[in-house]
């Protein structure tokens, strides 16, 4: 058993860390306060490989291993959770299924420009007003074959990246009869007539990661835009979410690391009763717990990623990593505010933003409760 | 056209220095104590641009130093240099600037056929900024220092813009040349993941003293620079005095008197 990253992974971490420290972290507050997506940094991510993490090199991707992909998202989240979420959703949720299930023609049409940052980003569209965790029974967006086209109608909710995407991977019902083989994925270019993107949702945090309701009104795309096999949409989604959970776990670790570092720094600067608060045991314990829990969460995330890399089944490991890392992150961010005292509640200090940002992590891509359900099912087999 | 970029591995700009018993050591909280000399990143970028925009056939990163300097060369490869060579020999350890220039020149001659050699304007460890001139002198080529833009390159000449204290000047020189670049010249790219992978697999040749025909003395014995006494600069000491008075006017009067007393005004 080896707990060290290999040379390549260490080099990746260093490059991404440097990039994020220079291009992403300094803009995190501005991104949150204005809701402006950090295109300046994202444009520079293409040549680095951050926009095609697990895309094969033949399509302009970086083709890094799953641990390196997790490291990239972790480091991005250390700088700015909003930007990290957009990049994570683009890579894992949207490009992931195109790489896994796309035809050669689909890959050639979409991956090079999306992976190199020449175009905009990509989005996965699952959730609907009546369908979140219960996709199989809840998805009402339909795609009906008419001649050589699919005609799509319905409403989606909480689509991350919708307004900054060129491509939407949309989960639709292709068999009105229902059941586990009634859903399919269809590739929808975002500029297709009938795709109506509502104004960005007003959220508690992650304000620089645009989230939208999207309506599909008689949206017509060619039949060959079907992604993967007809009727396999649910299975493809669940598999995509397994991978996405590693990414959200990594994102949570990155936010927690940033909050911990901020708390540690502040604890050495702030004096009470004649000494830095870092010398008061009550504060020391919070910091010791934080660094311990973050390390445990990080190892779980890398472990799930290593399972994925080895080709083993990793549904349970990804769910455990996501559950643990996101709960840890919430706790660490909460205590980082506690260490800052009143200042921590002020927008002047970044831990306030981190706490709001990390709150989504126990909800998005499967709530903590769903993760427990997934784990319980896996151990009950 | 062959281009050589001379690089050096230096401590990271965020490294924390300490000196104990005349020995300098440093550590970096980011876990990466050594990096490519930051000024050399501009040199590497410009070398790569000569390949992309001016048809340079090879852009070779060259470093003098210990085995660990391969890390700096890997960064240069990951950014896009086409090759890298490390010059490393115990006999070269402790060389001063002139000794280093002799080694640079010998290595550049061994590479052969280089038209443009690029240095960063200085290295952040010794801050001397003389390597480009000295190496040019040893090679017998024209040095063009503080270059902020390469305007044009023909088969036998180069025109550059130099950034000087009192303005800019445009000069043309016959090739080959040694240039040093300032940060205004470009924005260095980040190494790509694909580049890192390629760099990690690359075999970097190591040239020893016996591989080079160095003309003149090198190493600590030939060095005119003596590092016999290394010490930390003592921290500045000062004090703060709060001026008290019944009114603002009185406080200002006391302040002005004190400033006169201290000969500040």
């Amino acid at each position: 058993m080896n707990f060290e990253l290999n040379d390549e992974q260490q080099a990746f971490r260093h490059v991404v860390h440097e990039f994020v420290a220079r291009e992403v972290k300094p803009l995190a507050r501005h991104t949150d306060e204005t809701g402006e997506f950090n295109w300046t940094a994202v444009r520079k991510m293409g040549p680095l490989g951050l926009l095609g993490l697990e895309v094969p090199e033949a399509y302009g991707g970086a083709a890094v291993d799953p641990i390196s992909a997790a490291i990239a998202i972790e480091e991005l989240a250390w700088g700015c959770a909003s930007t990290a979420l957009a990049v994570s959703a683009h890579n894992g949720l949207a490009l992931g299924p195109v790489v896994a299930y796309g035809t050669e023609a689909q890959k050639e049409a979409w991956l090079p420009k999306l992976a190199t940052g020449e175009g905009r980003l990509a989005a996965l569209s699952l959730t609907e007003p009546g369908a979140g965790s219960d996709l199989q029974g809840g998805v009402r967006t339909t795609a009906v074959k008419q001649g050589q086209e699919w005609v799509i109608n319905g409403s989606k909710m909480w689509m991350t990246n919708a307004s900054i995407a060129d491509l939407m991977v949309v989960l639709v019902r292709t068999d009105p009869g229902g059941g586990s083989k009634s859903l399919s994925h269809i590739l929808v270019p975002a500029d297709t007539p009938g795709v109506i993107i509502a104004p960005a949702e007003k959220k508690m945090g992650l304000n620089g990661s645009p989230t939208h309701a999207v309506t599909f009104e008689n949206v017509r795309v060619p039949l060959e835009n079907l992604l993967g096999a007809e009727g396999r949409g649910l299975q493809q989604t669940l598999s995509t979410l397994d991978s996405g959970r590693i990414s959200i776990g990594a994102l949570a670790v990155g936010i927690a690391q940033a909050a911990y570092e901020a708390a540690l720094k502040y604890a050495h600067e702030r004096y009470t009763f004649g000494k830095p608060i870092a010398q008061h045991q009550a504060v020391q314990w919070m910091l010791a717990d934080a660094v311990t829990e973050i390390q445990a969460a990080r190892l779980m995330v890398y472990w799930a990623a290593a399972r994925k890399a080895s080709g083993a089944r990793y549904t349970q490991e990804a769910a455990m990593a996501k559950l643990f890392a996101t709960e840890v992150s919430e706790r660490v961010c909460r205590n980082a505010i506690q260490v800052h005292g009143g200042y921590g509640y002020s927008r002047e200090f970044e831990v306030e933003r981190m706490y709001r940002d990390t709150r989504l992590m126990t909800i998005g891509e499967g709530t903590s409760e769903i993760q427990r359900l997934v784990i319980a099912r896996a151990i009950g087999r | 056209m062959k281009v050589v970029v001379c690089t050096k591995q230096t401590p990271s700009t965020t490294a924390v220095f300490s000196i104990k018993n005349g020995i300098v050591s440093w550590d970096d909280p980011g876990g990466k104590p050594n990096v490519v000399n930051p000024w050399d990143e501009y040199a590497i970028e410009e070398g790569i641009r000569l390949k992309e925009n001016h048809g340079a056939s090879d852009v070779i990163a060259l470093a003098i130093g210990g085995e660990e300097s391969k890390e700096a060369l890997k960064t240069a490869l990951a950014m896009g240099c086409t090759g890298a060579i490390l010059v490393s020999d115990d006999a070269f350890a402790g060389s001063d600037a002139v000794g280093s220039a002799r080694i640079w020149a010998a290595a550049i001659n061994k590479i052969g056929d280089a038209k443009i050699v690029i240095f960063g304007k200085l290295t952040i460890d010794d801050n001397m900024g003389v390597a480009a001139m000295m190496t040019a002198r040893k090679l017998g080529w024209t040095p063009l220092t503080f270059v902020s833009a390469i305007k044009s390159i023909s088969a036998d000449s180069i025109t550059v813009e130099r950034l000087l204290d009192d303005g800019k000047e445009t000069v043309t020189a016959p090739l080959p040349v040694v240039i040093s670049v300032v940060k205004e010249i470009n924005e260095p790219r980040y190494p790509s993941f694909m580049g890192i992978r390629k760099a990690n697999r690359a075999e970097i040749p190591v040239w020893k003293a016996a591989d080079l025909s160095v003309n003149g003395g090198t190493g600590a014995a030939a060095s005119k620079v003596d590092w016999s006494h290394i010490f930390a600069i003592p921290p500045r000491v000062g004090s703060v005095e709060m001026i008290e008075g019944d009114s603002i006017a009185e406080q200002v009067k006391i302040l002005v008197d004190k400033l006169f007393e201290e000969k500040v005004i």
Side-chain angles (χ1 to χ4, degrees):
Chain A
M1 193 160 199
N2 184 1
F3 284 97
E4 296 300 319
L5 299 177
N6 66 32
D7 286 353
E8 200 170 290
Q9 290 161 341
Q10 285 182 32
F12 287 159
R13 179 186 283 286
H14 179 67
V15 168
V16 181
H17 189 85
E18 287 291 301
F19 174 82
V20 173
R22 283 192 221 171
E23 310 279 352
V24 179
K25 204 169 175 63
L27 280 166
R29 175 182 290 182
H30 178 84
T31 302
D32 175 64
E33 285 178 355
T34 62
E36 288 169 19
F37 187 63
N38 187 354
W39 273 117
T40 315
V42 172
R43 283 271 169 257
K44 293 180 183 176
M45 289 181 195
L48 245 85
L50 283 169
L51 300 181
L53 286 170
E54 294 182 85
V55 173
E57 284 193 40
Y59 304 106
V64 299
D65 65 284
I67 292 178
S68 297
I71 288 170
I73 300 302
E74 179 189 339
E75 290 293 343
L76 281 168
W78 169 80
C80 172
S82 286
T83 309
L85 182 66
V87 174
S88 166
H90 164 81
N91 273 292
L93 296 186
L95 297 192
V98 178
V99 170
Y101 310 114
T103 62
E104 194 54 38
Q106 287 169 338
K107 290 180 190 175
E108 276 175 14
W110 288 106
L111 292 178
K113 66 176 175 180
L114 290 171
T116 53
E118 284 167 29
R120 301 199 298 167
L121 301 183
L124 177 67
S125 176
L126 305 175
T127 310
E128 297 187 8
S133 302
D134 173 25
L135 292 171
Q136 183 178 325
V139 169
R140 293 187 173 189
T141 300
T142 56
V144 179
K145 281 182 202 169
Q146 275 186 15
Q148 291 304 301
E149 291 177 324
W150 292 105
V151 181
I152 304 168
N153 278 289
S155 293
K156 292 289 184 182
M157 292 282 289
W158 302 118
M159 200 199 294
T160 303
N161 292 353
S163 59
I164 51 171
D166 278 340
L167 175 69
M168 297 172 175
V169 180
V170 187
L171 186 70
V172 293
R173 192 170 295 282
T174 42
D175 177 0
S180 65
K181 292 177 182 165
S182 62
L183 303 175
S184 304
H185 281 134
I186 292 183
L187 301 178
V188 179
D191 59 358
T192 311
V195 175
I196 301 158
I197 301 171
E201 298 287 346
K202 295 192 170 100
K203 297 175 296 186
M204 175 180 177
L206 296 164
N207 294 318
S209 160
T211 315
H212 301 264
V214 178
T215 308
F216 296 86
E217 267 186 25
N218 292 316
V219 172
R220 291 173 174 273
V221 296
L223 285 184
E224 57 264 29
N225 280 27
L226 177 74
L227 179 68
E230 188 174 339
R232 295 287 298 168
L234 184 65
Q235 293 72 23
Q236 291 175 188
T237 298
L238 294 178
S239 174
T240 302
L241 287 177
D242 279 346
S243 180
R245 282 168 188 153
I246 298 176
S247 197
I248 296 296
L251 216 157
V253 170
I255 301 173
Q257 179 69 31
Y260 159 71
E261 287 175 14
L264 184 66
K265 182 166 175 279
Y266 184 80
H268 284 287
E269 290 167 357
R270 169 76 174 172
Y271 277 68
T272 58
F273 305 104
K275 57 184 179 182
I277 60 170
Q279 290 177 21
H280 295 305
Q281 201 174 53
V283 172
Q284 287 174 340
W285 285 21
M286 281 194 274
L287 293 169
D289 281 349
V291 73
T292 305
E293 290 192 310
I294 290 168
Q295 183 60 7
R298 181 178 288 124
L299 288 174
M300 286 186 79
V301 169
Y302 293 179
W303 171 57
R307 292 274 298 180
K308 182 185 172 190
S310 73
R313 193 177 163 83
Y314 63 97
T315 303
Q316 182 190 341
E317 290 79 3
M320 287 163 67
K322 197 241 177 204
L323 170 65
F324 186 72
T326 58
E327 300 277 341
V328 160
S329 187
E330 211 174 291
R331 202 151 51 233
V332 169
C333 291
R334 182 231 179 244
N335 283 345
I337 291 180
Q338 211 65 17
V339 170
H340 281 71
Y343 288 116
Y345 197 63
S346 157
R347 296 221 162 161
E348 290 299 308
F349 284 77
E350 299 206 279
V351 288
E352 178 269 347
R353 183 189 74 243
M354 294 166 188
Y355 189 47
R356 285 186 287 111
D357 285 350
T358 207
R359 188 63 188 82
L360 175 78
M361 302 306 146
T362 57
I363 299 169
E365 297 192 32
T367 59
S368 288
E369 292 66 38
I370 285 290
Q371 306 309 325
R372 290 186 173 94
L373 191 71
V374 171
I375 298 161
R377 277 183 189 155
I379 58 178
R381 258 189 285 139
Chain B
M1 183 174 68
K2 208 183 270 182
V3 175
V4 176
V5 183
C6 297
T7 65
K8 187 174 184 182
Q9 193 183 41
T10 62
S12 153
T13 47
T14 52
V16 181
F17 283 86
S18 60
I19 296 171
K20 272 183 196 150
N21 304 323
I23 307 275
V24 183
S25 68
W26 59 89
D27 194 16
D28 182 53
K32 184 98 178 174
N34 298 317
V35 295
V36 175
N37 170 42
W39 292 99
D40 295 349
E41 289 185 17
Y42 300 91
I44 295 166
E45 175 67 31
E46 202 57 25
I48 298 165
R49 289 186 188 193
L50 287 176
K51 176 168 170 279
E52 290 170 347
N53 306 329
H54 292 278
S57 54
D58 306 87
V59 182
I60 296 162
L62 187 62
I64 306 172
E67 193 72 12
E68 69 283 356
S69 297
K70 279 189 177 172
E71 287 303 311
L73 291 173
K74 278 184 185 172
T75 304
L77 286 172
M79 285 172 74
C81 285
T82 59
I85 297 161
L86 174 66
V87 176
S88 186
D89 198 309
D90 289 345
F92 292 150
S95 293
D96 61 9
V98 181
S100 297
R102 290 180 179 129
I103 303 167
W104 286 122
I108 291 161
N109 278 330
K110 184 174 164 69
I111 290 169
D113 203 26
K115 292 286 180 220
I116 302 174
V117 171
I118 314 176
F119 282 84
K121 82 164 189 180
L122 48 76
T123 54
I124 61 163
D125 52 357
D126 62 21
N127 273 327
M128 288 176 74
V130 295
M133 281 83 83
M134 288 185 169
T135 304
R137 178 76 181 84
K138 294 296 169 197
L139 286 165
W141 300 359
T142 308
L144 298 172
T145 51
F146 309 118
V147 170
S148 53
I150 292 178
K151 295 284 196 188
S152 66
I153 300 172
S154 71
D156 51 11
S157 74
I158 182 170
T159 301
V160 302
E161 180 186 85
R162 298 181 65 222
L163 192 64
L164 308 174
D165 283 345
D166 47 2
K168 291 177 177 175
E169 71 172 18
T170 300
V171 293
T172 300
L175 293 175
V177 292
V178 178
I179 70 176
S180 76
V181 299
V182 293
K183 64 179 168 46
E184 285 74 10
I185 196 167
N186 59 42
E187 187 186 343
R189 69 195 66 193
Y190 292 91
S192 71
F193 288 1
M194 303 68 121
I196 289 171
R197 191 173 301 129
K198 225 169 91 186
N200 268 335
R201 290 178 192 151
E203 283 292 323
I204 297 174
V206 180
W207 289 352
K208 297 279 177 194
D211 298 320
L212 301 176
S213 309
V214 181
N215 189 8
T218 58
S223 175
K224 307 284 187 209
V225 180
D226 185 4
W227 290 76
S228 55
H229 185 47
I230 299 170
F231 59 95
I233 299 168
R236 279 188 196 178
V237 285
S239 60
V240 175
E241 183 186 342
M242 299 303 288
I243 293 171
E244 294 186 8
D246 291 339
S247 65
I248 293 287
E250 192 188 334
Q251 288 171 16
V252 169
K253 187 180 176 311
I254 296 170
L255 173 64
V256 171
D257 287 348
K258 281 186 181 292
L259 290 175
F260 267 119
E261 231 172 78
E262 296 287 334
K263 297 185 176 150
V264 175
I265 53 176

